[in-house]
Amino acid sequence: MINFIDVTLKHKNSRGIHNISFDIEKGQFVYLMGPTGAGKSTIINSIIKSATPDSGQILVNNLDVSKLSDHNLSQYRRDIGMVFQDFKLIDDRTIAENIALPLQIIGIQKSIIYNKVQDVLNKVGLKHKVNSKPNELSGGEQQKICVARALIKNPKIIIADEPTGNLDPSSSDDIIDLLEQESNNGTTIVMATHNYPLIENRIKHFIELNNGRVVR
Amino acid sequence: MIEQLKFIFLESIKSIKRFPIYSIISSLTIMVCLIIITFIIYLSDITNNLSKNFKKNESVLKVFIKNDINIEESLKICQDIKDVYKFDIMTFEDRNNLFSKIDINLKTWHQDDLEFIPCLCSFNIDVESVEEIDDLSISIFDKYKNEIEKIVYPRKYLVRFEEILSLAYSVIFLIGLIVFIVSIYNISNIIKLSIESRKNVIDILKLHGASKIFIKSPYVLEGIIHGLIGFVLSSLFIFISFNLFSSFAYEHFLAQSLVTSISLKVYILINLIFGVILGFIGSNLATSNYLE
């Protein structure tokens, strides 16, 4: 599903990733672990092509990510759900509008969007917040909305970059529960985290990074 | 598709609401630009009309018939030239007529000998340039070289007039161009501010697979809306000015020569086109430079 082949991406401050190779199978829930600056976010950014590798190849569904044209990149990103540490919700839009955004982008009908928004809000348990604005929600709730927004387009892959980084332990557990539930339905999940205690009892597959290299 | 259009439209409206002062400044700049463009078109029209009238009055070809040809014959030749070259207005002056205009001292010297005075026919000609008068003059002279003494017209005067006219057009065009560029630059900067304030939204859209056009469209639309607001304001101003000036010109004879030959509808249409173009170019410039 996701294949990294000798991928190197150096940042200006000499951080980045160096000759990294790994394979992630379809439906796996893989944790990217490591301290700050280990290269977790660089891997995440490389998968969504927010950063382009200096060398090596990244294949997602046998598609060479670094060779995607602008048009194909937007099509490619439509199949990936993303969850961010800073939520990336639009403040002047309601929760429903925020969740509906990925479907609005691809021009889905209003009635279909409405039903799907209701479904995912049910899934994350925040149906009563449908007309609230993001700043009226707690951090944990905002992250659940972020997960709901990732789920609404039924993605094949979900990329989560430190989704629990700003949350208390209870909310963090809720978020990982949601992602695991999605993984059980066949979605491939890649989640970056530096919070090992949070995931140690849940871990099935992991890639441990340090100084831009795979340690385990 | 409808959802996409709705999103684009709402985003651009939100953007305008977010920076109302800047949006007003942008629309007012476009309004001023459109008024100046209208004034420039008006000025060009007036200048063109005045120039046509001036040339019509001043472009007079004076054909002197040889003095050995008698008055009847001279008139015949003049009439022939008028018919051949299809001139509208011709004035014929025989030697007696011309003699009456001669200085009093000369009169006393030559009152018994008028034969040296040629007959003169003056043709008012309607031409665009001095070169055309040159060609016409040569053509007439070649055709009637046995009958014509010489052909005279105010060449230098007309050339000077054309130079001044050309300078006036250049200045008008330059002012228009400067105002146009300043307006585009202004709109572009305001759209840049808008983009800057929505950087996080743009990031989110990009990450969720929005196409470049989809991301750009709200900002381009915002520029066009500024252009349309500017158009409405300028049209209002032009409409009021047009009516006030028309009633003034109706009462004052001299001002009538300053009434434009272009209709108000055409001015409004030009404003609409330029308003949209200004908004589009300004916002497109900002999105092309900034969103890439």
Side-chain angles (χ1 to χ4, degrees), chain A residues 48 50 70 74 77-78 82 84 88-90 92-93 101-102 104-110 113 149 153, chain B residues 1-4 6-7 10-11 14 18 198 200-201 203-212 214 292:
Chain A
I48 59 174
S50 280
D70 281 346
S74 40
R77 282 179 175 169
R78 288 175 189 181
M82 291 174 217
F84 309 95
K88 291 201 190 298
L89 296 172
I90 303 172
D92 55 9
R93 287 176 172 259
L101 189 70
Q104 273 185 319
I105 288 172
I106 49 177
I108 301 287
Q109 257 184 334
K110 195 179 177 180
I113 293 178
R149 187 179 58 187
K153 49 187 178 181
Chain B
M1 187 68 179
I2 293 166
E3 280 303 301
Q4 284 174 313
K6 199 174 138 191
F7 178 90
L10 288 177
E11 265 307 294
K14 273 182 186 172
R18 204 170 307 113
R198 300 289 279 176
N200 65 327
V201 178
D203 278 346
I204 294 167
L205 291 174
K206 276 184 183 171
L207 290 170
H208 283 97
S211 64
K212 265 187 185 176
F214 187 81
E292 298 300 321

Side-chain angles (χ1 to χ4, degrees), chain A residues 30-82:
Chain A
V30 178
Y31 292 96
L32 291 175
M33 297 188 309
T36 305
K40 305 184 294 291
S41 293
T42 307
I43 289 177
I44 297 277
N45 287 335
S46 303
I47 295 173
I48 59 174
K49 213 196 167 189
S50 280
T52 309
D54 300 321
S55 63
Q57 210 176 17
I58 301 167
L59 300 174
V60 177
N61 270 335
N62 296 321
L63 203 72
D64 191 339
V65 175
S66 54
K67 286 182 183 161
L68 288 173
S69 64
D70 281 346
H71 174 72
N72 288 338
L73 177 65
S74 40
Q75 296 294 329
Y76 164 75
R77 282 179 175 169
R78 288 175 189 181
D79 288 335
I80 298 177
M82 291 174 217

Side-chain angles (χ1 to χ4, degrees), chain B residues 123-253:
Chain B
F123 300 102
N124 284 65
I125 51 176
D126 193 6
V127 288
E128 291 293 320
S129 67
V130 176
E131 283 73 28
E132 272 185 70
I133 310 179
D134 287 341
D135 293 344
L136 206 56
S137 162
I138 291 165
S139 165
I140 294 171
F141 197 80
D142 285 349
K143 198 170 169 66
Y144 299 91
K145 57 184 159 203
N146 297 325
E147 293 92 3
I148 290 174
E149 183 68 38
K150 61 175 177 177
I151 299 176
V152 176
Y153 57 90
R155 191 176 197 286
K156 272 189 183 171
Y157 185 53
L158 288 171
V159 167
R160 186 86 190 120
F161 177 73
E162 276 192 355
E163 281 170 0
I164 292 169
L165 206 64
S166 153
L167 184 73
Y169 278 129
S170 303
V171 170
I172 288 170
F173 177 76
L174 197 69
I175 294 169
L177 192 69
I178 291 168
V179 172
F180 195 79
I181 291 168
V182 168
S183 300
I184 286 175
Y185 184 74
N186 195 36
I187 298 160
S188 168
N189 278 339
I190 285 161
I191 301 295
K192 271 183 190 173
L193 276 174
S194 212
I195 293 172
E196 184 63 43
S197 77
R198 300 289 279 176
K199 243 180 168 172
N200 65 327
V201 178
I202 292 166
D203 278 346
I204 294 167
L205 291 174
K206 276 184 183 171
L207 290 170
H208 283 97
S211 64
K212 265 187 185 176
I213 294 175
F214 187 81
I215 295 170
K216 269 174 89 167
S217 299
Y219 303 99
V220 174
L221 185 64
E222 186 185 341
I224 293 173
I225 291 173
H226 288 174
L228 288 174
I229 296 171
F231 152 71
V232 171
L233 295 174
S234 71
S235 296
L236 211 65
F237 177 86
I238 291 161
F239 180 76
I240 293 167
S241 311
F242 199 88
N243 283 325
L244 283 178
F245 186 71
S246 296
S247 52
F248 175 77
Y250 185 73
E251 291 165 10
H252 298 80
F253 175 72

Side-chain angles (χ1 to χ4, degrees), chain B residues 5 27 46 52 77 87 90 124 138 149 168 232 241-242 266 273 290:
Chain B
L5 293 176
S27 300
I46 295 297
K52 268 186 185 165
I77 294 165
F87 294 134
M90 182 193 88
N124 284 65
I138 291 165
E149 183 68 38
V232 171
S241 311
F242 199 88
V266 175
I273 293 167
Y290 220 56

Side-chain angles (χ1 to χ4, degrees), chain A residues 5-216:
Chain A
I5 307 162
D6 289 329
V7 178
T8 298
L9 196 160
K10 286 177 196 159
H11 295 305
K12 280 179 188 163
N13 53 11
S14 82
R15 279 183 176 175
I17 50 176
H18 309 278
N19 288 319
I20 282 191
S21 298
F22 60 80
D23 299 313
I24 296 171
E25 299 298 320
K26 187 176 183 291
Q28 275 187 345
F29 191 138
V30 178
Y31 292 96
L32 291 175
M33 297 188 309
T36 305
K40 305 184 294 291
S41 293
T42 307
I43 289 177
I44 297 277
N45 287 335
S46 303
I47 295 173
I48 59 174
K49 213 196 167 189
S50 280
T52 309
D54 300 321
S55 63
Q57 210 176 17
I58 301 167
L59 300 174
V60 177
N61 270 335
N62 296 321
L63 203 72
D64 191 339
V65 175
S66 54
K67 286 182 183 161
L68 288 173
S69 64
D70 281 346
H71 174 72
N72 288 338
L73 177 65
S74 40
Q75 296 294 329
Y76 164 75
R77 282 179 175 169
R78 288 175 189 181
D79 288 335
I80 298 177
M82 291 174 217
V83 184
F84 309 95
Q85 183 176 4
D86 57 354
F87 318 131
K88 291 201 190 298
L89 296 172
I90 303 172
D91 294 335
D92 55 9
R93 287 176 172 259
T94 63
I95 295 310
E97 286 168 338
N98 266 285
I99 296 173
L101 189 70
L103 298 185
Q104 273 185 319
I105 288 172
I106 49 177
I108 301 287
Q109 257 184 334
K110 195 179 177 180
S111 56
I112 300 173
I113 293 178
Y114 177 81
N115 290 335
K116 286 204 168 197
V117 168
Q118 297 300 320
D119 283 351
V120 288
L121 274 174
N122 252 341
K123 221 179 229 182
V124 299
L126 288 173
K127 206 174 176 183
H128 57 290
K129 300 282 186 183
V130 66
N131 291 320
S132 305
K133 292 278 171 73
N135 54 15
E136 295 166 15
L137 269 58
S138 69
E141 287 173 328
Q142 286 190 51
Q143 195 58 289
K144 281 181 182 173
I145 298 303
C146 194
V147 173
R149 187 179 58 187
L151 298 181
I152 198 165
K153 49 187 178 181
N154 297 323
K156 292 172 189 144
I157 301 168
I158 291 178
I159 305 287
D161 190 6
E162 302 273 8
T164 58
N166 288 334
L167 306 182
D168 59 77
S170 160
S171 302
S172 300
D173 273 333
D174 289 347
I175 295 299
I176 296 174
D177 283 345
L178 278 170
L179 292 175
E180 276 185 344
Q181 201 180 316
E182 212 45 40
S183 169
N184 294 336
N185 293 335
T187 309
T188 307
I189 311 239
V190 181
M191 176 176 146
T193 182
H194 59 260
N195 191 349
Y196 182 72
L198 178 75
I199 57 167
E200 63 178 330
N201 296 326
R202 299 170 177 262
I203 235 166
K204 287 176 192 163
H205 306 280
F206 68 92
I207 297 166
E208 193 177 345
L209 298 158
N210 200 5
N211 288 326
R213 290 188 165 79
V214 176
V215 183
R216 271 198 290 172

